[in-house]
Amino acid sequence: MNRHGAEHTNSSAAPTVTDDVTQDAVVIVPGIMGSELYDTVARKTVWGLSGVSWLLKAWTRPKGLEPLRLTPEELEGRTTRIKATQLMRHSSWTPYLQGLEPYTDLIAAVRGCVADPAAVLEFPYDWRLPVAVNGHLLARAARRHLTAWRRHPAHDTARRNRVDERPARLVFVAHSMGGLVTRAALDATYDGALADDTRAVLTLGTPFHGAVKAAAILSTGRGTPVPLPHRQLQSVSATMPGLHDLLPHYACLIDGRNARRLTPGDVAGIGGDADLAQAAVEFQEKQANVRLPGHWAVAGTNQATMQSLTIRDGVVHPHHHGVRQHTNGDFIRDPRGGLRFYDVKGDGTVYKDSAAVGPAVTPLPLQHGAVASDRVALKAVAEVLRDDEHLGPPQGAPGCGLDVPDLVDVGAAWDITLSGVNSLAGLRCEIADVTGRNPRVLRAGWGDGHIRARTTVDAPGLYRVTVRTPDGHAVTQLVLAGEPGAVREVE
């Protein structure tokens, strides 16, 4: 007698296992500078070419970024010159924002969760333009995508393998500025039914309340020497509505014993455009009541991040702390009536409270450019797509803070500074070129109350610093190295 039961006596076939994939349509929306841009008049790519040599030429050659400057015609709405062609497929770099990792891992993670590649729409856009313009384009593209996917043969097959058997809905996966573009797309004035047809919005490091770093980029730096790449970025950014849409719109300007929001006049005084700043303010006010269905936010943490600023002689002086307010709107003050300041950190670009918006938030110790490529963040993406309950990051000490220069000279020594860790045990710090070749383990030690590692690079290029902590987290940042004669300071 078979003690295991008669039902197994003649069984020889293996069980049928169905892939756990969603029937939904997914839209991937990149962040600022995350889309390749092509000049249809000059017939050349003006942002996003592969190779470090292109990066070095673009940033260290005078007017290397001039094609990105918006023309008067583009500012009036005639925007056919530049075409966004695809999401960035390789690592890139920009001053202030520093390293920008490619979206290849995010795309692969999303494709592993859908029934067919046709269910995934990559939405490149001209990030120089207003968020409102790109939001309108996204709303139309998302509607077309959902309609086409619901007609795809793989859609019905996927529905039959899901518990609810419902038709596909939309899931937006958005990095950085892409979250603002997604919110704009869900404004009912564009498509009144799009929000109802959306199951979830997953944002990765989105500055819902803006970022002080945008003001730092617009600052002219008058009176101080500024490296050429930083000066170039300021010059072209002053014409970009998209950059003005990232300006902070909370009480970030420390003004004597009080704090207030930036005004268009403040923005013009630091080197931005007052009209673009006013348009950004009006747009943000309209966005305040736009609902993000099933919103899940991933917020970078533990990184030194600009949270407030002062302005002196037209120059922005950012601070790694900010003010807080009581529920009645009054600022929290010390016994003498002075403002109390708090450092909540962030991802190096977006401070935590600006990204950690919504009913569900996953904090991860990551730099801004890596939020969309980290393995734990990608796991969160997969679980949201499969409609699972995400349990958050691994428990334990939350990684570490990583501070590196954005731009260094070949042959000159520079420091890597870590924060949030109090022991060298189990800590590993290394540097390699952006392709992963020639990795070097760096010796870390204590200095001035912080753990530091000192290093040099001997060739121009883009390098990745990686710090692995005992809790299993890896924090990365990119740094661009140029020849001392090319990366010069200008008055």
Side-chain angles (χ1 to χ4, degrees):
M1 180 178 178
N2 187 341
R3 63 179 180 176
H4 296 291
E7 68 272 22
H8 296 292
T9 302
N10 298 318
S11 176
S12 60
T16 300
V17 178
T18 301
D19 290 337
D20 183 17
V21 295
T22 181
Q23 74 268 49
D24 288 324
V26 185
V27 184
I28 303 175
V29 191
I32 188 170
M33 296 187 168
S35 303
E36 182 180 292
L37 301 183
Y38 179 79
D39 190 324
T40 61
V41 176
R43 296 185 180 181
K44 65 178 182 179
T45 298
V46 294
W47 177 259
L49 285 172
S50 62
V52 174
S53 61
W54 173 80
L55 274 176
L56 289 168
K57 289 178 181 178
W59 288 111
T60 62
R61 183 177 57 192
K63 297 189 176 182
L65 296 177
E66 197 63 20
L68 296 181
R69 186 183 301 278
L70 269 81
T71 64
E73 293 76 19
E74 288 173 316
L75 288 171
E76 292 175 359
R78 298 193 293 275
T79 56
T80 57
R81 178 178 70 94
I82 295 295
K83 179 181 179 181
T85 54
Q86 65 174 1
L87 274 60
M88 295 290 280
R89 270 7 190 225
H90 46 269
S91 300
S92 188
W93 178 90
T94 182
Y96 296 106
L97 299 176
Q98 296 181 282
L100 305 170
E101 296 289 6
Y103 290 103
T104 47
D105 289 345
L106 176 61
I107 295 168
V110 169
R111 287 182 174 174
C113 300
V114 298
D116 188 274
V120 181
L121 171 67
E122 300 172 32
F123 181 75
Y125 60 92
D126 185 351
W127 34 265
R128 306 173 310 144
L129 303 181
V131 167
V133 169
N134 287 315
H136 194 183
L137 295 174
L138 175 58
R140 291 190 294 180
R143 173 59 66 194
R144 291 194 301 268
H145 178 53
L146 179 60
T147 300
W149 171 239
R150 284 176 171 174
R151 294 171 178 169
H152 195 284
H155 169 252
D156 286 336
T157 302
R159 285 180 61 189
R160 289 194 295 270
N161 289 320
R162 302 297 286 181
V163 173
D164 54 14
E165 298 186 76
R166 63 170 172 79
R169 298 174 73 193
L170 287 163
V171 177
F172 291 90
V173 180
H175 176 228
S176 188
M177 178 192 271
L180 303 181
V181 174
T182 300
R183 184 176 64 178
L186 292 169
D187 188 328
T189 59
Y190 295 150
D191 183 332
L194 195 64
D196 291 335
D197 283 331
T198 297
R199 174 171 70 80
V201 176
L202 181 62
T203 57
L204 309 167
T206 291
F208 287 103
H209 300 305
V212 168
K213 190 169 279 189
I217 290 172
L218 287 174
S219 178
T220 59
R222 289 193 295 268
T224 59
V226 178
L228 176 60
H230 298 70
R231 180 74 78 183
Q232 287 200 120
L233 179 62
Q234 186 281 330
S235 178
V236 298
S237 294
T239 69
M240 293 182 185
L243 196 281
H244 287 73
D245 280 334
L246 297 180
L247 286 166
H249 46 93
Y250 59 94
C252 65
L253 176 59
I254 309 303
D255 189 1
R257 294 173 65 86
N258 286 294
R260 61 176 177 83
R261 295 186 178 190
L262 288 170
T263 67
D266 294 325
V267 175
I270 64 175
D273 184 287
D275 291 336
L276 296 181
Q278 180 62 40
V281 170
E282 294 172 358
F283 173 69
Q284 290 293 343
E285 291 175 349
K286 294 177 181 178
Q287 292 287 286
N289 296 319
V290 175
R291 179 176 63 92
L292 294 179
H295 183 205
W296 198 296
V298 173
T301 59
N302 280 21
Q303 313 306 312
T305 305
M306 300 175 186
Q307 297 157 60
S308 65
L309 65 128
T310 51
I311 299 175
R312 294 193 299 272
D313 299 324
V315 179
V316 166
H317 297 269
H319 310 295
H320 291 172
H321 57 243
V323 297
R324 284 181 174 174
Q325 293 169 275
H326 294 290
T327 53
N328 65 358
D330 292 341
F331 292 111
I332 301 176
R333 296 180 180 274
D334 62 28
R336 296 184 177 183
L339 293 169
R340 285 194 183 275
F341 296 102
Y342 301 84
D343 182 6
V344 300
K345 299 190 184 298
D347 64 15
T349 293
V350 181
Y351 90 111
K352 187 183 70 173
D353 290 354
S354 187
V357 172
V361 177
T362 295
L364 291 173
L366 300 171
Q367 289 279 345
H368 185 74
V371 172
S373 61
D374 177 77
R375 61 177 181 82
V376 181
L378 296 182
K379 183 175 183 291
V381 170
E383 291 179 346
V384 169
L385 288 177
R386 293 185 173 120
D387 208 13
D388 290 342
E389 180 181 358
H390 182 52
L391 300 179
Q395 298 299 307
C400 70
L402 173 61
D403 186 22
V404 301
D406 59 357
L407 183 64
V408 298
D409 287 340
V410 169
W414 47 279
D415 284 336
I416 298 164
T417 304
L418 310 183
S419 59
V421 286
N422 55 18
S423 174
L424 295 169
L427 198 66
R428 181 182 177 89
C429 182
E430 62 184 35
I431 185 171
D433 68 24
V434 75
T435 65
R437 295 192 301 264
N438 306 316
R440 289 186 288 123
V441 176
L442 304 178
R443 183 177 178 178
W446 286 97
D448 297 327
H450 294 281
I451 295 177
R452 301 179 187 274
R454 195 162 180 79
T455 189
T456 60
V457 294
D458 57 9
L462 192 59
Y463 294 84
R464 180 181 290 108
V465 175
T466 303
V467 178
R468 304 181 191 279
T469 50
D471 55 20
H473 285 293
V475 185
T476 66
Q477 184 58 286
L478 299 180
V479 57
L480 185 70
E483 295 287 0
V487 184
R488 61 185 179 276
E489 292 188 333
V490 296
E491 293 291 345

